[in-house]
Amino acid sequence: MLDDSLKQILRTPGLILWLTGAGVSAESGIPTFRGKEGYWQVGSRNYQPEEMATWAAFQEMPDEVWAWYLYRRGVCRGAEPNVAHRALAKAEERGGDRFLLVTQNVDGLHLRAGNTLDRTYQIHGNIDFMRCSNECLPAPVPMPQGIDVAWEKGRPVTDCELQALRCPSCGAPARPHVLWFDESYDEANFRFESAIDAAKQATLLIVVGTTGATSLPMHIGTITVQRGIPMLVVNPEPNPFSALVARTRSGAFLQGTAGQWVPQLVATLPGR
Ligand code: NAD
């Protein structure tokens, strides 16, 4: 049950900005990066996501990086949106232009649940798309037909598949459409300026299932704190966002899972 102060916060007029991370998809069975299934084995060595998800790794071992992404794509494709994703789709349906979602997730589950691309900024990309590694395409393209969707863990990419994983325009190697740890945000691919603008306009920020380990999400949190708007943080564990809430005392840390909290929060939101 939500207490009265929480209900009051949820009645704040204006733009409600939701910020989601891997935790919102954990209950769909997609491992988070910090979880124990995060690493990837190449030969006898275990690589952490921070090493695999880099332009440098792609330069050095493109087929291994592709194999990791194709495996993760299979996990995402095999997962279904959970109650939190579905509640967020309902929040958009009811909230219209008072709703905006910034997600770090690349799994596409928010869109599959019913959120629209107009009001969902995928600031780390989408694993179901690829781009030209020379950036010659105006927009990312869907993964080619014929690339196995249910990828077995550890299975190497074949030469034939690598041929398909090429830019359809210039023929250069294609790369997964994700933001890597050694790359920077931009507007064209990742809606960077739009996400900052949303933080400047929002009247309430709701952060669900993220550690806040990447720069843009923390920047969004800091902007909203500086503006003095309330923040709600849903996470099973305290994190940098809950620390921000504790410092400002404007909002609340709702300890628990996305599935426990998000449907309740959405059910309490007023309509347009
Ligand atoms: P993270 O792995 O760093 O952190 C996950 C967070 O979710 C933790 O704070 C954890 O306490 C919390 N959490 C775990 N279970 C939860 C639940 N049931 N409900 C609510 N919260 C829960 O993930 P991150 O902060 O999003 O950032 C890491 C990067 O990982 C991002 O760039 C993202 O693109 C990428 N990533 C994405 C996916 C995905 O698309 N599903 C999965 C793994 C990693």
Side-chain angles (χ1 to χ4, degrees), residues 34 37 47 73 87 95 100 104 119 124 148 154 159 188 254 257:
R34 318 294 154 197
E37 291 170 73
Y47 285 80
R73 171 183 180 239
L100 200 68
Q104 296 167 80
R119 306 212 69 76
H124 292 167
D148 199 355
D159 287 347
L254 309 173
T257 68

Side-chain angles (χ1 to χ4, degrees), residues 32-49:
T32 65
F33 268 180
R34 318 294 154 197
K36 57 182 183 317
E37 291 170 73
Y39 72 84
W40 185 253
Q41 202 166 15
V42 180
S44 58
R45 204 190 137 187
N46 288 338
Y47 285 80
Q48 296 305 316

Side-chain angles (χ1 to χ4, degrees), residues 167-183:
C167 171
S169 174
C170 76
R175 52 160 293 170
H177 172 50
V178 292
L179 180 70
W180 282 330
F181 283 99
D182 52 356
E183 296 181 312

Side-chain angles (χ1 to χ4, degrees), residues 56-71:
F58 185 67
Q59 293 297 95
E60 198 185 308
M61 43 177 188
D63 37 355
E64 288 292 351
V65 171
W66 263 122
W68 185 54
Y69 275 99
L70 293 172
Y71 166 69

Side-chain angles (χ1 to χ4, degrees), residues 21-23 27 31-34 104-107 124 209-211 235-236 258:
E27 288 160 274
T32 65
F33 268 180
R34 318 294 154 197
Q104 296 167 80
N105 294 346
V106 297
D107 55 36
H124 292 167
T210 173
T211 48
N235 204 298

